[in-house]
Amino acid sequence: MKYALFLGCKIPYYIEQYDSSTRALFDLFDMDWVDIKFNCCGYPIRNLNFESYILSAARNMALAERKQVDILTPCKCCYGSFKHAQFYLQNYKELKDKVNEILKKENLMWNNHSKVKHILTVLHDEIGIQRLRTKIKNRLKTLKVAVHYGCHALRPSHITHFDNPLNPSIFEHLIEITEAPLINWSKKLECCGHPIWGKNDKLSLDLMQKKIDDAIQAGADVLCTACSYCQIQFDDIQIQQLSPAQTQLDTVLVTQLLGLSMGIEEMQLGIHKNKTNAKKIYDYVN
Amino acid sequence: MIFTISLYLSLGICILGLLYRLVSWFTLNTQLRGTHYGWVDRIKDASKAVIGSIFSVKCVNIIKTFIIEVVLQLHIIKNDPFRWIAHICIFLGFTLLLFMHAMEDIVSTALFSGYYSTVNPYLCLRNIFGLMTIVGIIMVVGRRYIQKKPLLKTNSRDTFAIVLLAIIFISGFLLEAVKIFSEPVFDQMVNDYGDPSATEDVEALKAYWATEFHVVFSDFNTSNISNEILETGKDVHIGSCADCHSKPTWAFISFPISKALSPAAPLLNKIRMDTWLWYIHFLACFIGLAYLPFSKFLHIVTAPLSLLIRSVADPKPENTANSETRRAIELDACTHCGTCSLNCSVAPVYQILNIPEILPSEKLSATKAIIKNQHDTEIINPDFQIASYVCTSCYRCTQVCSSGINLQDMWLTTKRSLHEKGIKDPYTVCRTTLVQKPDEKHLIPIDYHKVYRRIQDRFAYQYFHLTLRPETFTYCIQCQTCTNACPVMASAANNPNELLVSPQQIMNLMRMRLLHIAIRSPLVWDCLTCYKCQECCPQRIPITDIFYELKQLSVDLTFFDKANTNRLG
Ligand code: SF4
Ligand code: SF4
Ligand code: SF4
Ligand code: SF4
């Protein structure tokens, strides 16, 4: 298995534990990481300028193409951003030509030869549940987990091709191998609210609070994310913005949860680096 | 005389300049937001930190950083091996020449008993060090002016520094070359160290030096020198000169130059070219010395300082007196090497929008200008505003900065301070100007001609046809599925003063060609881009993508249209 890891702009500074835990997890399955100096996926600039967005996304894919490797990203917004860019570049030849004209200055070219995959897809489809199961050391039989799908991988499904947009299941399948019980909650597929953070904070917090309330009501002990922005929203921003009196939901990354059940060291999982009290999941190991 | 005066003058300016810098590190208000600390607090805290670091385990970091990053500069290799070679050549060549040659009276003579600049190994070493520096300079010129990477900006300060360095080194080699064949210098040496009245000896020495040391004498024919005379010359040479002179061939750079110039030697000797070159050489050096505190050469002091500070400082600092001081030093530590810009995550955005301040190296210069101007908001232009918010705070530039500057801290604080000063991000600016206020009776119509023209100018115009192509939204059957799916519509956090127009209604506005009203709906600007509406729409209307387009269009019309129409496309 060979991939270029696309971390995006948030992980290196805000959630470095996502980087280290991802690497540690895949190391168990003989991942061969190809190092590429990527740029921003284009998602943040998409609100302001379309061409900048397309060029950003295309350049990353072209860099991967040059090394003949596919991209794996742990962030759903990066994933969605790439998938949309592929869609536009494939469907609008003139756009593709213009982008390639700019990329040519760096001897780069976008020809759609590199695939882009989200971490959940690679874990689920490529490594496979069977193989993942063989590495399980710790079981989390009593930890009630609410999985958080995130919008940009799921929808629009005809562009992202991630999972069934109305009833997705790959995240659950992955968590099931830790034997942690999954909770059913009605707002599972809703937005975390982060895209509007910094633009309309009140709205952003309201949407987050609704999800937190819903998950807690459904009995969740912990929320599990697989996206940088969802993680920042439920981890950093939850702690910063909601007073301790308000209900709090501890947040853990999918790589941390799986990594813990596979016996990876805390050094690499970095669960204590999460701002919410995620380290309590250690109490559930048995 | 001129030498001494200019030396002390430039040294004086240099010292005063350095003092000025030192004072500014403790007084400059670099607190982009929050309390500004006075110099007493800053000096106190800085001394505490310095002492605390030296007398603790942190001193290991300091020593490690000094060896690895300051001397060997290994942190540069990772990002740019070419630049490392260039810089290490200049750094080593320059430093060694500075101590061995420029400060020979203080350093070399004291350390090495047999030191003479014209005797080996010093003669040969000087050429080696000089060659290293010249190679480095050529590599730098190649990188900056020939290769011309689009993301690497070169300004007049860079050019001036390179030119000055080149003048110093080229004049140095030329001076050495011209001195090799210089008759006047020979005569002077005979006067100083020999007995000019012993004409026979002098003639013999001339013969010996003309053949063996390649001096060109105006009244001397080298073709018919007898072996006898040469032997006598050699004896005189061994007696008076050999201790201080190795063969000029050892000056393996200057010697070939000297040979190449030798046809012109009589003329050059006559006009005392060596003196002229000597003036050029030392004056260029002294200009460099005087200019040091005000130029990018200052990085000789500030870059190591900044790297050492980084090795002990908190990577995510609070706004303290020390972080204010650190920022002041860092603003002086940038060498404008461009590594940050070459690695910047949003460089493709720069390639499209053509705003130089998007590149961190340029943004830092702009930030410095703002800080030096006492944070005058007047000089913050829309370009800086856009650039600051386009930055994703990805930390990349901080990781690669060759001077160890905490750029991340700089960007995060600038962004927050701009926000506090009311200089908001482009998105918010557009939202505030566009979304209809409750007391607003008349809508300012959008100039459709302009919109069409802008769209057709853009290279992505096919895409922009989404909002202009009727088939994208004509098939909306107004079923409200989108509205029911939208989490923003369901939120209680909506501003009661704003008219809540639903996605379905916006699609209807689009159908009625009322784009200028659609663009003013709060929902367009509060849209989470969650794509729930689009996923559910039975007619496959790309609702979210239409919203994206409306936003991009507004930013375009608000920010780029006025500034520079050629900016996009
Ligand atoms: S932090 Fe900003 S300026 Fe620095 S590399 Fe990232 S996007 Fe560029
Ligand atoms: S900020 Fe650092 S990397 Fe960027 S130009 Fe200055 S010294 Fe070089
Ligand atoms: S769901 Fe589609 S068809 Fe129905 S109102 Fe919304 S945009 Fe129109
Ligand atoms: S994409 Fe925007 S408009 Fe559509 S449902 Fe989500 S928030 Fe509402």
Side-chain angles (χ1 to χ4, degrees), chain B residues 475-482 504 507 537-539 541 543:
Chain B
Y475 300 108
C476 167
I477 50 166
Q478 292 290 298
C479 66
Q480 283 206 38
T481 313
C482 49
Q504 165 235 342
M507 286 310 116
C537 172
Q539 293 293 82
I541 314 276
I543 311 164

